[in-house]
């Protein structure tokens, strides 16, 4: 729209009172109409406030809302915006409160070009409202449509420098799954189990499915780690095989080259020897033939000379011829020559002798090339788990397939200690397999082994030394030190081995079970020679102990029987006063008439020296414990409990570390005191008890005494049992106390 169009429409170009219109292109650059306010207008505020009023909960009454809605509808009709349903979203005042702005859709801000904001058209609000044009007086219907489209396109322009585009709000996120369908193996929402196709499927909580998946992943990771370790070990073994094969073939190449060079040297030596022998024979024959040839030539010359002389003599006169022959030198010479035997045989025959060459040593060398070489060094394996007993070990090794072996020689000796001057004797065993079970060994002892391979070419180098260990000897259970209660047992044992072991295993079998021969429970990895094992109440068990080291477990120890009926303990001899004697079964304490002088008793932190007392080895387990003490009504005694560190130079009940029942008999009168820290309540007992029941209740911090024969409650202490306490028994004069334990608590016993 140009300036002429503004005049044609009769627009007032004065300063507007209500709002402003700016040029905006509908699509690109020149064709878009710019429509954007420069400042906040009354119309924007009214529209935004109307929208906020409609969306706010509890803001204003019904009449105000209707008036505001009518005003908004009037403005919409006035400006021809009936088709725009989100008017409040399109006009956003840049000075609106943040709470109001947050209710509107987000905007994408784009930098605008100020040069494109040069042209503007101003429309007088008062004139427009008075004439109720509805944009009808402003150009054609197409221009009004363009303006409405431009208005929809802007969607909340905020300033001259930024264009704002409304981003549609995302739909609410789907409700998160809270259960897991096991059948479909997928997370679902809980209501889908009731109404959806998962109705008949097995469903578990999502947390349980997550834990199950984690456990499965951990198991798979463990399997993968195990497989990785196996593959790494296999790869290391292959690498060793590769290196050994390479070394073996290198040795064979060197061996072949050595034999080849030796054969060449032997052949060259034989060649020289034969050539020299042939030369000597040749020289000998030629010299013989040459001498014979010279002799033959000399004889031939002599014959020719005699022939010529004889011919000359034949031409002489007969008389002269006869004279000459009779006296001639030549006649004598001829006679001698004819009498001499001429050697006409060849001294050296021209035929060549058959020169047979002796290649036996060469053949032997050639044969040695194909001889099997000495084997390479075997690789002795580390000790396998559970491959040993207390007196034997199974040793294994490896040899590669390209080595020919006729036998193996396994050597071993105990691992030497640091003591100098001790030479260990090595023992040797010859076998044909790649394993050997060596017997007659010492339990729980380390031995070092090494092996060599043998064939007709000789022995191989020795393998590396490997240390194997025999299994331990079985432990020895201390049956007299077993302590138990209804929920547990404390078992002790001796190692039975000179050298320390890695750990111990306790095996339990229910004695009355039909599967008594099988192990019902095992406690493994016990580092010391005692173990506190949790059990079921009212059962009988057979207990075994094994010792373990790298060689494997020992055989079972001798069995020990345990009953979880009541609390079972014995008297502790380490705390016993020297004037007291404990019976063989550890349940009776006796004070005799004979006394050791007091000056000979030395003070001790573990043994009673002033108070003639002894403590019991009660199992250190919380809960409740019950035992009974058989007493003589004419005997002065004290029974109760005390902490382990109670002062051994004071009487029981004389401090805050012990709680006791004390009885004294004098002048046919019985006096009973329940002592703690030298205080006692005023309690009268009319019937002297012959058997006293004692109930220690850790849960309620109570210690109760009962007359067993009368099923009578005597007294209950409220104790501060911050540590474990132990039964204690004292005799003030000669007599005995007998302890009954390992019994069920009587029905009349109640917790006070």
């Amino acid at each position: 729209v140009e300036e002429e169009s503004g005049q044609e429409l009769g627009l007032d170009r004065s300063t507007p009172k209500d709002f402003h219109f700016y040029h905006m292109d509908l699509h690109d650059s020149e064709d878009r109409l710019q429509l954007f306010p420069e400042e906040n207008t009354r119309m924007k505020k009214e529209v935004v406030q109307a929208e906020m009023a409609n969306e706010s909960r509890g803001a204003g009454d019904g009449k105000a809302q209707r008036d505001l809605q009518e005003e908004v509808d009037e403005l919409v009709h006035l400006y021809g915006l009936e088709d725009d349903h989100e008017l409040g979203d399109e006009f956003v005042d840049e000075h609106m409160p943040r709470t109001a702005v947050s209710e509107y859709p987000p905007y994408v801000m784009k930098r605008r070009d100020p040069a494109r904001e040069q042209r503007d058209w101003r429309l007088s609000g008062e004139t427009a409202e008075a004439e109720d044009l509805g944009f009808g007086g402003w150009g054609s219907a197409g221009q009004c449509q363009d303006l409405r489209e431009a208005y929809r396109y802007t969607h909340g322009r905020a300033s001259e420098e930024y264009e704002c585009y409304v981003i549609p709000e995302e739909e609410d996120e789907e409700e998160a799954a809270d259960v897991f369908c096991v059948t479909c193996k997928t997370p679902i929402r809980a209501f889908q189990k009731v109404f959806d196709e998962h109705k008949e499927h097995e469903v578990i909580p999502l947390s349980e499915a997550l834990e199950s998946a984690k456990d499965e992943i951990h198991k798979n990771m463990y399997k993968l780690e195990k497989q990785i370790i196996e593959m790494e070990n296999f790869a290391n073994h292959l690498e060793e095989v590769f290196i050994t094969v390479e070394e073996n073939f290198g040795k064979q190449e060197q061996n072949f080259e050595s034999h080849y060079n030796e054969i060449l040297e032997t052949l060259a030596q034989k060649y020289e020897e034969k050539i020299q022998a042939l030369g000597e024979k040749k020289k000998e024959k030629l010299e013989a033939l040459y001498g014979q040839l010279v002799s033959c030539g000399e004889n031939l010359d002599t014959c020719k000379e005699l022939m010529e002389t004889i011919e000359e003599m034949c031409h002489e006169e007969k008389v002269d011829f006869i004279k000459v022959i009779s006296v001639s030198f030549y006649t004598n010479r001829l006679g001698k020559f004819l009498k001499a035997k001429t050697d006409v045989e060849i001294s050296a025959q021209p035929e060549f002798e058959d020169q047979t060459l002796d290649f036996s040593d060469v053949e032997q060398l050639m044969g040695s090339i194909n001889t099997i070489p000495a084997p390479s060094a075997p690789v002795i394996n580390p000790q396998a788990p559970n491959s040993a007993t207390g007196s034997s070990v199974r040793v294994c090794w490896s040899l590669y397939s390209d080595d020919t072996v006729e036998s193996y020689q396994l050597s071993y000796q105990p691992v030497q200690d640091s003591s100098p001057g001790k030479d260990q004797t090595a023992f040797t065993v010859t076998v044909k397999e790649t394993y050997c079970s060596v017997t007659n060994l010492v339990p729980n002892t380390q031995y070092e082994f090494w092996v060599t391979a043998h064939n007709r070419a000789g022995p191989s180098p020795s393998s590396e030394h490997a240390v194997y260990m025999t299994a331990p000897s079985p432990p020895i259970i201390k049956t007299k030190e077993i302590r138990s209660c209804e929920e547990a047992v404390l078992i002790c044992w001796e190692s039975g081995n000179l050298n320390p072991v890695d750990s111990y295993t306790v095996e339990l079998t229910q004695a009355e079970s039909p599967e008594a021969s099988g192990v019902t429970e095992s406690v493994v990895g016990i580092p010391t020679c005692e173990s506190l094992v949790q059990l079921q109440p009212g059962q009988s068990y057979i207990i075994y102990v094994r010792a373990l080291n790298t060689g494997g477990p020992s055989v079972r120890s001798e069995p020990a029987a345990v009953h979880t009926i009541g609390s079972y303990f014995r008297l502790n001899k380490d705390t016993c006063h020297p004037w007291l004697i404990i019976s063989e079964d550890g349940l009776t304490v006796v004070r005799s008439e004979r006394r050791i002088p007091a000056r000979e008793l030395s003070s001790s932190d573990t043994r009673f020296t002033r108070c003639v007392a002894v403590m019991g080895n009660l199992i250190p387990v919380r809960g409740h414990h019950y035992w009974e003490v058989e007493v003589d009504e004419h005997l002065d005694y004290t029974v109760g409990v005390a902490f382990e560190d109670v002062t051994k130079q004071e009487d029981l009940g004389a401090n805050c570390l012990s709680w006791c029942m004390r009885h004294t008999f004098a002048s046919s009168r019985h006096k009973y005191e329940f002592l703690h820290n030298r205080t006692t309540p005023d309690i009268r007992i009319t019937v002297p008890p012959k058997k006293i029941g004692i109930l220690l209740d850790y849960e309620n911090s109570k210690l109760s005494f009962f007359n067993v024969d009368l099923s009578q409650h005597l007294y209950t202490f409220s104790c501060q049992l911050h540590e474990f306490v132990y039964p204690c028994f004292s005799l003030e004069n000669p007599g005995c106390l007998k302890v009954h334990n390992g019994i069920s608590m009587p029905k009349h016993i109640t917790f006070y």
Side-chain angles (χ1 to χ4, degrees):
V1 181
E2 301 294 338
E3 184 177 359
E4 293 78 12
S5 299
Q7 294 176 356
E8 182 181 352
L9 295 173
L11 298 177
D12 185 6
R13 302 186 63 84
S14 60
T15 303
K17 297 180 180 180
D18 297 321
F19 58 89
H20 303 271
F21 287 93
Y22 287 85
H23 175 84
M24 166 172 277
D25 295 339
L26 290 177
H27 300 288
D28 289 322
S29 66
E30 301 300 332
D31 296 332
R32 292 172 57 183
L33 292 175
Q34 300 291 340
L35 179 60
F36 198 85
E38 292 180 348
E39 59 185 9
N40 297 327
T41 64
R42 178 178 58 82
M43 181 199 69
K44 290 182 181 180
K45 294 181 180 179
E46 292 175 350
V47 174
V48 171
Q49 291 174 0
E51 184 67 14
M52 291 175 59
N54 290 332
E55 295 181 356
S56 302
R57 296 181 179 178
D61 55 8
K63 184 175 182 304
Q65 292 180 356
R66 285 194 300 271
D67 294 343
L68 184 59
Q69 183 63 38
E70 290 175 0
E71 186 178 359
V72 172
D73 293 341
E74 182 180 356
L75 290 173
V76 170
H77 177 73
L78 175 63
Y79 300 116
L81 302 176
E82 292 85 357
D83 295 335
D84 298 310
H85 304 291
E86 298 178 355
L87 188 61
D89 291 344
E90 296 167 338
F91 291 95
V92 180
D93 195 334
E94 63 183 354
H95 298 293
M96 286 177 59
R98 298 183 64 86
T99 56
V101 175
S102 63
E103 298 177 1
Y104 290 86
Y107 293 87
V108 175
M109 306 300 294
K110 180 178 178 182
R111 189 77 175 180
R112 297 191 59 193
D113 185 4
R116 299 178 60 183
E117 304 296 336
Q118 298 297 327
R119 293 174 295 176
D120 62 342
W121 289 262
R122 298 189 176 96
L123 179 62
S124 173
E126 296 178 356
T127 305
E129 292 179 4
E131 297 180 357
D132 193 18
L133 295 176
F135 293 102
W138 189 1
S140 62
Q143 290 175 331
C144 293
Q145 180 67 24
D146 292 342
L147 183 58
R148 280 195 293 269
E149 290 179 0
Y151 177 77
R152 295 190 188 99
Y153 183 80
T154 59
H155 272 79
R157 182 157 307 183
S159 67
E160 293 182 357
E161 297 183 6
Y162 294 92
E163 294 181 3
C164 303
Y165 302 97
V166 177
I167 299 176
E169 293 184 359
E170 296 182 359
E171 298 182 359
D172 293 339
E173 295 184 359
E174 186 177 357
E175 184 180 352
D178 51 2
V179 294
F180 184 80
C181 179
V182 179
T183 306
C184 300
K185 298 187 181 302
T186 181
I188 62 174
R189 287 175 286 179
F191 72 89
Q192 291 180 305
K193 167 63 179 174
V194 182
F195 304 104
D196 211 340
E197 67 273 7
H198 305 281
K199 185 174 182 180
E200 303 297 332
H201 295 176
E202 180 184 357
V203 175
I204 60 175
L206 195 61
S207 59
E208 183 178 344
L210 180 61
E211 292 299 327
S212 177
K214 287 182 179 179
D215 292 341
E216 188 66 23
I217 290 174
H218 289 319
K219 291 179 181 178
N220 292 334
M221 290 178 64
Y222 174 75
K223 292 179 181 179
L224 287 175
E225 290 177 356
K226 187 176 180 181
Q227 189 172 2
I228 288 172
I229 294 174
E230 292 178 355
M231 293 301 296
E232 288 178 349
N233 293 335
F234 180 70
N236 293 334
H237 182 66
L238 284 180
E239 185 178 359
E240 292 177 357
V241 172
F242 180 86
I243 294 174
T244 305
V245 170
E246 185 179 19
E247 292 178 353
N248 187 43
F249 272 99
K251 292 178 181 178
Q252 291 187 6
E253 291 174 358
Q254 294 177 358
N255 188 26
F256 179 80
E257 183 179 0
S258 175
H259 281 76
Y260 178 76
N261 293 333
E262 187 176 357
I263 290 172
L264 291 181
E265 291 177 0
T266 303
L267 288 174
Q269 183 179 356
K270 286 191 171 294
Y271 173 79
E272 294 294 336
E273 291 177 355
K274 291 297 181 181
I275 291 298
Q276 184 177 359
L278 287 175
E280 291 177 355
K281 284 193 174 184
K282 173 184 176 182
K283 180 180 179 181
E284 180 182 354
K285 283 192 173 186
L286 290 178
E287 288 179 351
L289 290 173
Y290 180 76
Q292 193 174 8
L293 183 60
V294 171
S295 177
C296 182
E298 291 177 352
N299 291 335
L300 184 58
D301 292 340
T302 302
C303 287
K304 287 181 178 181
E305 181 182 356
L306 291 174
M307 283 294 295
E308 292 177 357
T309 304
I310 292 172
E311 286 179 357
E312 290 178 358
M313 290 176 61
C314 286
H315 289 19
E316 294 289 339
E317 293 293 333
K318 294 180 181 180
V319 178
D320 296 333
F321 177 73
I322 292 174
K323 289 181 180 180
V324 171
I325 291 175
S326 57
V327 297
S328 175
F329 169 76
Y330 290 99
T331 302
N332 296 333
R333 185 179 177 189
L334 178 61
K336 291 181 180 180
F337 180 78
L338 293 176
K339 289 179 180 180
K341 187 177 179 180
T342 304
D343 186 8
V344 293
E345 293 182 1
I346 299 175
S347 59
Q349 297 296 328
E351 294 84 4
F352 291 99
E353 296 180 0
D354 186 10
Q355 299 292 331
T356 302
L357 299 177
D358 184 10
F359 288 101
S360 58
D361 49 354
V362 177
E363 291 176 356
Q364 183 177 0
L365 291 173
M366 292 293 293
S368 65
I369 296 179
N370 299 323
T371 301
I372 298 173
S376 58
V379 177
I380 194 165
N381 300 338
Q383 184 172 10
N386 302 326
S387 61
T389 66
S391 61
S392 66
V393 293
R394 180 182 174 88
V395 185
C396 300
W397 57 89
S398 302
L399 196 74
Y400 307 107
S401 57
D402 53 354
D403 289 337
T404 300
V405 177
E406 297 177 358
S407 64
Y408 297 95
Q409 194 172 74
L410 178 66
S411 302
Y412 64 95
Q413 65 182 12
V415 175
Q416 296 184 1
D417 54 18
S418 58
S419 301
K422 290 186 177 180
D423 295 332
Q424 299 289 346
T425 303
F427 302 92
T428 302
V429 180
T430 301
V431 295
K432 292 185 177 297
E433 299 81 9
T434 56
Y435 61 89
C436 179
S437 294
V438 183
T439 58
N440 299 326
L441 303 178
V442 179
N444 198 37
T445 303
Q446 290 183 332
Y447 290 84
E448 56 179 350
F449 291 84
W450 63 97
V451 63
T452 55
H454 294 258
N455 60 16
R456 60 186 178 182
S460 71
S462 173
S463 68
E464 296 290 335
H465 288 221
V467 176
Y468 279 57
M469 193 170 191
T470 53
S473 299
I476 302 171
I477 298 178
K478 300 177 181 179
T479 55
K480 293 184 179 182
E481 297 184 15
I482 294 177
R483 295 175 274 173
S484 64
C485 62
E486 293 184 351
E487 300 175 353
V489 61
L490 181 61
I491 182 172
C492 304
W493 59 86
E494 294 179 356
S495 174
N497 296 273
L498 297 177
N499 299 323
V501 300
D502 295 341
S503 64
Y504 298 92
T505 298
V506 175
E507 299 176 354
L508 302 97
T509 303
Q510 290 190 9
E512 299 177 359
S513 172
E515 300 178 355
S517 60
V519 176
T520 58
E521 183 180 356
S522 294
V523 181
V524 300
I526 303 172
T528 60
C529 290
E530 69 174 19
S531 176
L532 182 65
V533 183
Q534 300 296 324
L535 301 177
Q536 296 296 325
Q539 301 293 329
S540 297
Y541 293 88
I542 302 298
I543 296 182
Y544 305 89
V545 181
R546 295 179 188 266
L548 289 88
N549 62 14
T550 56
S554 69
V555 297
R556 282 179 170 182
S557 65
E558 292 295 326
V562 173
H563 307 281
T564 56
I565 302 173
S567 298
Y568 178 81
F569 62 90
R570 292 171 179 259
L571 300 177
N572 188 355
K573 295 182 178 181
D574 295 335
T575 64
C576 183
H577 191 279
W579 295 355
L580 298 179
I581 299 174
I582 298 176
S583 63
E584 185 66 24
D585 60 2
L587 299 175
T588 302
V589 57
V590 179
R591 178 172 178 175
S592 62
E593 296 289 346
R594 184 175 58 86
R595 295 185 178 183
I596 301 175
R599 63 177 181 274
E600 297 182 8
L601 299 177
S602 58
S603 61
S604 173
D605 293 334
T606 58
R607 183 185 296 272
F608 287 98
T609 55
R610 177 176 177 180
C611 177
V612 185
V614 64
M615 300 182 74
N617 274 330
L618 183 65
I619 184 172
V621 173
R622 295 190 176 272
H624 60 269
H625 302 275
Y626 177 79
W627 64 94
E628 297 174 353
V629 184
E630 186 177 338
V631 299
D632 185 353
E633 60 183 14
H634 301 293
L635 182 67
D636 293 347
Y637 60 85
T638 304
V639 294
V641 297
F643 288 110
E644 185 178 13
D645 58 349
V646 66
T647 304
K648 305 300 190 296
Q649 287 77 36
E650 291 183 356
D651 293 334
L652 296 175
N655 49 56
C656 61
L657 301 178
S658 58
W659 296 262
C660 301
M661 173 183 173
R662 181 179 181 182
H663 170 258
T664 55
F665 179 74
S667 302
S668 300
R669 296 183 59 183
H670 299 274
K671 181 181 179 181
Y672 293 92
E673 298 175 289
F674 295 92
L675 295 169
H676 174 65
N677 205 14
R678 297 185 182 275
T679 61
T680 178
D682 186 12
I683 295 178
R684 305 296 175 89
I685 299 176
T686 57
V687 180
K690 297 182 179 180
K691 184 179 288 187
I692 301 173
I694 302 175
L695 175 61
L696 174 62
D697 184 5
Y698 277 104
E699 296 178 357
N700 299 310
S701 297
K702 299 293 181 69
L703 177 68
S704 301
F705 296 88
F706 302 87
N707 186 334
V708 178
D709 296 332
L710 299 180
S711 301
Q712 179 187 16
H713 172 249
L714 300 178
Y715 183 74
T716 296
F717 284 103
S718 293
C719 312
Q720 297 296 327
L721 303 177
H722 56 276
E723 295 179 359
F724 290 108
V725 293
Y726 298 89
C728 53
F729 312 88
S730 175
L731 289 169
E732 301 300 329
N733 47 29
C736 71
L737 296 175
K738 187 173 183 180
V739 180
H740 297 270
N741 56 28
I743 56 178
S744 299
M745 190 166 54
K747 295 181 180 179
H748 68 272
I749 300 296
T750 57
F751 296 95
Y752 290 87

